[in-house]
Amino acid sequence: MNERIQRLRKELTEQKPYVDGERCKIFTESMKTTDGLPIIIRRAKSFYEVLDKMTVWVKPGELIVGNMAKNAKSSPVFPEYSAQWILEELDGKPYRWEDRPGDKFYILPEDEKIVRECAEYWNGKTLYDYVRKNLPKEVNDAWDAGVTDETWVCAAGLGNEIVDYKMVVEKGLEDVLTRIQEKKDSIDILDPDALKQLHFLEAAKLGNEAVLNYSNRLADKCEEEAGKTDDPEYKKELMELAEICRYVPFHPARTFQEAVQSIFMVLLAVHMESNGHAISLGRFDQYVYPLYKKDIEEGRITKEKALEIIECFFIKCNELNKLRSWPDTEFFMGYQMFINLAICGQTVEGKDATNDISRMCIQACRELKLITPSVSVKCFDGTTDEVLMDALEATIEHKGGMPAFYNDKAFIKILREMGVAEEDLVDWCPDGCIEASIPGKWDFAAKGPWLSIEKVLEITLNNGKDPATGTVFRKPDKDIVASSSMEDIFEEYKKTLKYFLDLNCLTEHINDEVHVRYDLNAFRSSLVQDCIGRCLDLVEGGALYSADGGPTAGTISAGDALTGIEYLVFDKKILTMEQLLHACATNFEDESTTPTGKEIQMIMKNKVPKFGNDDDYADKWVVAIEEYVGHSLNHDYKSSKYGKGPVPCCFAYSQTPVTGNISFGSRIGATPDGRSAGEPVNNGVSPANGSERNGATAACNSVAKIPTIYDQKGNIFNMRLAPSTIANQESRQKILDMMRALFDKDAEQIQFNVVDNEVLKEAQKRPEDFPDLMVRVSGYSALFTSLGVACQNDVINRTEVEM
């Protein structure tokens, strides 16, 4: 890092995250004046007002500019999505923001007054309120019991989008505005849909104009700051930034710096419009490379300067932040915005797409050691070992599992099966954590209620009743104790799974309808094909591609639990079904039984085979669950957009639980995999903590058995590497060879944590001494000390594996 980058990074890491009341005040005041107009027009007008009136600032030394709050790392507030939690948490229920055990935020008295007033205005008429009021009792019961949860997309806005940055860079927003006008001119005013279409187009026009106006305001600010400085070099820099902001994103970018500034402006605006998260960047190295190459050839830029611009861009991405409710924060611990940036992969011709920008993004990871953007290396047969080794060594230095590695072949196969056009396949990108999207053509790469897979098993084993709440969800066809085989139990489990999958599909249909009524966002829609052509918002079916499906948690743990039942009850006959269920019901604490509860738990933990050891006896139950859930989602359920234009409009499997494995685990009692009540379930498709006994290759072989064809929403594989596995070049090459073998079997992804446990434990004791310690939490990286203790322990308890 040069001096500029060191200083900007230091300022970033020392900045506390605040809650900023400015956006919610401007937005609320605007919405009060537009009552009666179509919601898409109201939100577009409010978006314009926010970008027109909010504070803009330029920090000394920045090469990329723009802000979403009065301070870096501060979060705007979006009370129209949910408000009751804001009032409760301001009153300390369960925590005030500055007192949280993780993801703390601070707030100044003047902002607290504004935020409280806005939350009081919106309370009772938010998107979240309307969703919960419209859900049937069965769904709300499942939500309250911790079986399912839809908070992330109704209380916190829709996300997981990749808009068409390539188009913005190559054509500018002037092209968007031209297409909007051409579409307006073609509409027959007597068409019954004409008025609705014109409302969409007018809102899209206003949204694009809002962004251009904001960019000009930044230019004004740069000129204002230039007038205050006596430093000729800084003055020149500011005047160049002013010129850039006046030119892009309206016009096509002429230079590499203009391209990157244009991208950040759009990224920032989409977040500000829609309370977004996981607004990702697509194949960044591919669409900025032509301008970089042109600048290099014409002597306008050096490689060192290009790296400096990229690192400034990465720092700006880390300034974006999002305040979530505490219950929602428990699913997304670590101040993450889930801005994924893809590099490498292949061209349409099947050649290696790695270029200088790819390598600079890897270098920026290595040098900056920041939590975002999540750099993702797309790997295929033509990706060289040299590039992969560079990325692996950057991961080791970063320590937070970044870059992560993704399998081109597996995702292309999945998307081809779903009906994605052949010419679009190589451009797939991970969005958010790992969800597969086609940039500029897909709506929401992940969207839908969570489902706690092992909680569903617990309910099944209790004859359809949740032991924590007493709610009976479905009565079994056969009492579970009377089961004469594992097939009987699995059949009941599948029926219970179907019951909750049905509820989740219904929930998402209702959620979509509420979003159509109250949450249309025309700017982001105008940057995705073919919303302008169809005159439809993304939530109405404007995109070319769409598929629903929310995250799941605990599939591997549930498979281990089924293995425990088979081994202990039916094969070895160590326990009766009554004994096993009693041990779980008493959390393995009944010492009066023979064997005792604790002895039963030790047998479950240490004697029963577990997923992650390349043992078909255990792995087959994970595969069976995966096959049932994945096939059901792909084939039995249709999204609300089905038949309205997008394809395929099915549901898809997501095993990207972020930190939901901890939150959901806290709502599950003891289970036959040996888990105590309240402990986390496994993360993603990673083996459950402590269960890997046969090394890294065996763990990979188990994961490779998972049928990924259903998993467009992705499955996360975390691996903790023991120090010996990264000690030298030879051992690192073995890791790459293992990864290639894993990807040959259609596994989707792998990411590595390389921090020694003793370091993590010391950081728990003395967090002030480890301010920059990074870890890979799930499909993202986070500062270890920003996490709550439960999340820290989950990382610590993951098995360190050796080759």
Side-chain angles (χ1 to χ4, degrees), residues 91-103:
D91 291 334
K93 303 172 187 175
Y95 311 102
R96 276 186 60 90
W97 297 322
E98 65 270 21
D99 297 328
R100 287 175 165 187
D103 282 28

Side-chain angles (χ1 to χ4, degrees), residues 302-372:
T302 62
K303 287 185 177 182
E304 291 74 20
K305 187 66 176 181
L307 176 62
E308 186 179 47
I309 291 169
I310 289 172
E311 292 187 334
C312 281
F313 173 64
F314 278 27
I315 288 169
K316 292 300 288 186
C317 288
N318 281 268
E319 289 180 359
L320 308 181
N321 212 343
K322 179 167 180 168
L323 175 71
R324 298 175 173 90
S325 69
W326 178 248
D328 205 30
T329 298
E330 289 185 299
F331 287 84
F332 299 100
M333 192 72 71
Y335 296 115
Q336 255 295 340
M337 297 297 282
F338 306 99
I339 302 169
N340 209 311
L341 183 152
I343 58 173
C344 302
Q346 57 189 297
T347 66
V348 175
E349 298 78 24
K351 296 180 179 178
D352 185 9
T354 304
N355 58 39
D356 282 355
I357 302 299
S358 320
R359 297 182 182 90
M360 288 180 197
C361 289
I362 294 171
Q363 187 174 347
C365 275
R366 175 187 283 113
E367 292 184 357
L368 290 171
K369 298 179 176 63
L370 295 173
I371 66 173
T372 202

Side-chain angles (χ1 to χ4, degrees), residues 398-560:
H398 183 274
K399 297 190 185 301
M402 192 194 303
F405 300 89
Y406 294 74
N407 185 2
D408 242 17
K409 181 179 76 169
F411 280 106
I412 286 173
K413 184 181 292 188
I414 293 163
L415 294 169
R416 181 182 286 121
E417 180 75 11
M418 294 177 79
V420 171
E422 202 67 26
E423 64 268 22
D424 291 333
L425 290 173
V426 297
D427 278 335
W428 84 271
C429 290
D431 184 6
C433 285
I434 178 179
E435 304 82 18
S437 181
I438 306 298
K441 296 182 179 182
W442 204 290
D443 52 16
F444 311 103
K447 181 175 75 64
W450 292 67
L451 184 63
S452 180
I453 299 290
E454 191 163 35
K455 180 71 177 181
V456 176
L457 180 60
E458 180 190 30
I459 289 169
T460 303
L461 296 178
N462 283 275
N463 288 316
K465 178 180 179 180
D466 173 28
T469 63
T471 303
V472 177
F473 289 101
R474 64 168 292 271
K475 293 187 177 179
D477 296 332
K478 185 176 184 180
D479 189 294
I480 207 74
V481 173
S483 300
S484 57
S485 67
M486 279 303 298
E487 288 67 29
D488 286 349
I489 291 172
F490 194 61
E491 281 304 309
E492 282 300 326
Y493 183 34
K494 288 193 293 185
K495 291 172 185 175
T496 313
L497 280 167
K498 183 181 187 308
Y499 173 87
F500 288 109
L501 290 172
D502 288 353
L503 292 187
N504 273 11
C505 179
L506 173 61
T507 300
E508 197 52 21
H509 288 171
I510 293 170
N511 183 47
D512 282 353
E513 179 59 30
V514 174
H515 275 280
V516 168
R517 292 182 188 179
Y518 302 106
D519 187 36
L520 300 180
N521 295 285
F523 171 67
R524 69 178 180 190
S525 298
S526 73
L527 304 185
V528 176
Q529 297 182 39
D530 187 27
C531 291
I532 293 174
R534 295 174 183 165
C535 298
L536 292 174
D537 186 275
L538 291 177
V539 297
E540 297 176 303
L544 297 181
Y545 301 116
S546 179
D548 282 347
T552 61
T555 297
I556 308 303
S557 293
D560 284 345

Side-chain angles (χ1 to χ4, degrees), residues 340-341 343 365 374-379 388 391 395 400-407 430 433 717 739 743 749-752 776 778-781:
N340 209 311
L341 183 152
I343 58 173
C365 275
S374 294
V375 176
S376 302
V377 177
K378 291 178 38 162
C379 309
L388 294 181
T395 301
M402 192 194 303
F405 300 89
Y406 294 74
N407 185 2
C433 285
F717 181 21
M739 185 172 69
F743 285 177
Q749 181 258 10
I750 190 168
Q751 55 201 17
F752 301 106
R776 193 74 172 182
S778 188
Y780 67 96
S781 303

Side-chain angles (χ1 to χ4, degrees), residues 194-256:
L195 187 59
K196 182 176 181 296
Q197 292 173 350
L198 288 169
H199 286 155
F200 170 81
L201 294 170
E202 182 57 34
K205 177 175 179 286
L206 191 57
N208 279 269
E209 289 172 347
V211 176
L212 298 176
N213 179 56
Y214 177 77
S215 190
N216 280 312
R217 292 186 66 217
L218 276 170
D220 292 343
K221 189 66 177 177
C222 289
E223 290 173 352
E224 178 188 327
E225 294 300 320
K228 297 177 183 178
T229 181
D230 296 324
D231 182 340
E233 284 300 314
Y234 184 41
K235 185 186 291 286
K236 179 174 179 286
E237 223 170 57
L238 284 168
M239 294 307 294
E240 288 173 351
L241 279 171
E243 181 187 353
I244 289 170
C245 290
R246 293 213 192 280
Y247 196 80
V248 295
F250 181 66
H251 297 292
R254 299 166 297 186
T255 67
F256 177 67

Side-chain angles (χ1 to χ4, degrees), residues 127-136 139-141 143-144 149-151 154 510 514:
L127 196 88
Y128 177 82
D129 292 321
Y130 295 144
V131 169
R132 292 302 296 258
K133 288 173 184 175
N134 281 279
L135 293 176
V139 174
N140 280 316
D141 284 346
W143 196 327
D144 294 339
D149 195 297
E150 179 81 319
T151 305
C154 63
I510 293 170
V514 174

Side-chain angles (χ1 to χ4, degrees), residues 453 548-550 552 555 625-627 629-630 633-634 651-655 707 710-715:
I453 299 290
D548 282 347
T552 61
T555 297
I625 297 170
E626 298 268 355
E627 281 283 357
V629 174
L633 288 169
N634 274 197
F651 279 67
Y653 208 171
S654 167
Q655 295 173 86
Y710 309 117
D711 295 2
Q712 172 259 325
K713 306 301 177 195
N715 60 52

